[in-house]
Amino acid sequence: MQRLGVRFLCEVRGFIGRHFCSQPSPAWPSVELRGKVDKFGGVTVRLEPSHNLGEIAFGRWLHESVKQWRLDGRIAVWLHIPIMQSRLISTAASEGFTFHHAEHNESTLTLWLKDGPSRLPGYATHQVGVAGAVLDEDTGKVLVVQDRNKTVNAWKFPGGLSDQGEDIGATAVREVFEETGIHSEFKSLLSIRQQHNHPGAFGKSDLYIICRLKPLSHTINFCHQECLKCEWMDLRELAYCSNTTIITSRVAKLLLYGYNEGFHLVDLTMRTFPAVYSGLFYSLYHKELPETYEGSANHL
């Protein structure tokens, strides 16, 4: 990346000298643009308002950089452009960049470098992640994975971000299958974690929901792009082992409590009701009500 930055400066000066020799050459500070590689294999380029960037010079650098990043196997580019540098947006668009979001004094553009549609997450004020705790009640074992992209390889429940319009349970079932190859069925909601200013959600709020799932298959065929390991682990071992996350250990203990004493003590089950808007419905998650409380007041 350093060689690319130096090459950029040299080519810019040479390009300006060749094409604008009849006019005074614009001042060009020693600004070296860099792309920072993240843990997922993406590249982030952040322009500064103080950068003296011309459209032609920036376009040449961006074009060469994108080619190099593709050769390096990078998956995507995040390009942050200050509002005072907005003239460079059309230059980036000519290379295939599209808007991801804009906020305050900066817009963010992205370019997916791999084949197929972009798999980059969308932008919103909240992000919803869902994990599935798949418990085999016959063996007392639960399905766990270790993420490939984490700095600490701790055991956790498989999961991921919920798609727009997707129910929580459907997300859990889908993510479990995509990561592990295990088919499952949604049973209940176990926990909700709320976290604000989440670095992985662009500084927005994050909701992380863990569901209890019933396995419909048992042969693991995990995704090597996302996971380092995947296995069926004894539930008690997961609840008290040190090689796991705090939330995984906590929910494993909750799951163990329900497994030993009855899931009705820990489950938040789902009911669907008609919304106030005609033709729409919503899902409500809560502890089960006794039958005597389900009817009208006359039944109490």
Side-chain angles (χ1 to χ4, degrees):
M1 190 58 64
Q2 184 175 4
R3 293 196 301 271
L4 188 59
V6 173
R7 180 182 176 187
F8 168 58
L9 292 176
C10 294
E11 286 189 352
V12 165
R13 292 189 179 112
F15 182 83
I16 293 175
R18 290 194 302 272
H19 291 79
F20 297 94
C21 57
S22 61
Q23 302 177 13
S25 296
W28 191 265
S30 298
V31 175
E32 183 176 352
L33 297 179
R34 290 177 177 268
K36 183 178 180 181
V37 179
D38 61 38
K39 64 182 180 180
F40 300 104
V43 180
T44 296
V45 178
R46 191 175 296 277
L47 307 185
E48 299 295 338
S50 59
H51 286 168
N52 183 16
L53 301 173
E55 290 94 322
I56 296 176
F58 174 71
R60 285 169 61 87
W61 176 84
L62 188 61
H63 180 76
E64 292 299 319
S65 297
V66 168
K67 287 200 301 184
Q68 186 61 50
W69 291 325
R70 289 186 192 275
L71 291 175
D72 292 341
R74 306 306 177 199
I75 65 169
V77 185
W78 299 86
L79 178 59
H80 300 268
I81 300 181
I83 193 170
M84 296 305 294
Q85 303 277 19
S86 294
R87 65 187 184 282
L88 302 178
I89 291 177
S90 60
T91 304
S94 67
E95 291 293 330
F97 281 81
T98 58
F99 281 115
H100 185 266
H101 65 275
E103 193 172 37
H104 301 302
N105 296 319
E106 181 182 271
S107 61
T108 299
L109 286 73
T110 60
L111 177 65
W112 182 250
L113 299 178
K114 296 296 186 179
D115 294 331
S118 173
R119 296 176 61 187
L120 295 175
Y123 188 71
T125 59
H126 285 70
Q127 175 176 279
V128 179
V130 184
V134 187
L135 176 64
D136 185 345
E137 296 183 48
D138 293 331
T139 64
K141 292 187 176 183
V142 65
L143 187 66
V144 289
V145 298
Q146 287 186 2
D147 279 347
R148 178 171 295 277
N149 295 317
K150 298 296 184 181
T151 54
V152 178
N153 295 323
W155 291 111
K156 61 181 284 291
F157 302 118
L161 294 179
S162 185
D163 292 335
Q164 184 174 350
E166 186 177 44
D167 284 342
I168 292 170
T171 300
V173 169
R174 173 180 58 78
E175 285 288 344
V176 165
F177 177 74
E178 290 177 356
E179 291 191 14
T180 71
I182 297 295
H183 293 278
S184 60
E185 177 185 30
F186 172 79
K187 300 300 291 183
S188 71
L189 188 154
L190 291 171
S191 69
I192 301 175
R193 181 199 70 192
Q194 183 179 39
Q195 182 176 345
H196 302 297
N197 301 314
H198 194 290
F202 311 101
K204 298 299 182 180
S205 299
D206 176 79
L207 296 175
Y208 179 65
I209 301 168
I210 299 181
C211 302
R212 182 170 70 89
L213 305 182
K214 175 184 177 181
L216 301 179
S217 65
H218 295 83
T219 302
I220 293 174
N221 182 21
F222 72 91
C223 176
H224 292 269
Q225 291 181 330
E226 296 190 46
C227 307
L228 283 174
K229 298 179 181 179
C230 177
E231 66 179 57
W232 291 99
M233 181 180 290
D234 182 79
L235 180 56
R236 179 174 291 276
E237 178 184 351
L238 179 65
Y240 296 100
C241 78
S242 59
N243 188 23
T244 187
T245 63
I246 294 175
I247 188 171
T248 302
S249 175
R250 187 75 176 177
V251 173
K253 292 173 183 175
L254 183 69
L255 198 58
L256 182 62
Y257 173 49
Y259 181 61
N260 290 332
E261 307 295 336
F263 288 115
H264 66 281
L265 297 172
V266 299
D267 281 348
L268 296 179
T269 56
M270 184 192 74
R271 294 280 301 274
T272 301
F273 297 96
V276 294
Y277 303 100
S278 177
L280 298 180
F281 295 84
Y282 64 84
S283 300
L284 183 65
Y285 300 82
H286 59 76
K287 295 289 291 293
E288 286 286 352
L289 285 172
E291 288 294 330
T292 53
Y293 285 82
E294 283 286 5
S296 63
N298 295 330
H299 290 88
L300 298 178

